Amino acid sequence: MVIDRALEIFNSTDENITVLYANKPVWIESIDKSNGTAVITVLGTNQTETVPISSLTDTGSKM
């Protein structure tokens, strides 16, 4: 995923778009544009990680 799309999803108030990290659905908690990273939480867990935005996948579908 590119940074602009990650920001668009993160700032979206109208819909929840499914984002995957390592084939697991995640919630984007924050984005660091300068480092190209995002803090994510794997849905259904309390697992929070900082990952490269390029490793996230936008499925294009709503949650």
Side-chain angles (χ1 to χ4, degrees):
M1 179 180 306
V2 295
I3 291 175
D4 289 340
R5 179 60 178 149
L7 285 167
E8 183 180 324
I9 292 169
F10 178 71
N11 291 319
S12 175
T13 57
D14 297 332
E15 55 188 272
N16 292 321
I17 298 168
T18 303
V19 174
L20 302 178
Y21 173 70
N23 293 320
K24 297 177 185 171
V26 298
W27 186 260
I28 299 174
E29 301 288 346
S30 64
I31 293 175
D32 183 339
K33 285 175 59 172
S34 62
N35 289 322
T37 59
V39 175
I40 55 139
T41 299
V42 178
L43 296 181
T45 73
N46 289 329
Q47 180 182 351
T48 301
E49 295 182 55
T50 300
V51 300
I53 291 172
S54 61
S55 67
L56 299 175
T57 302
D58 171 10
T59 67
S61 61
K62 295 181 183 180
M63 288 184 184

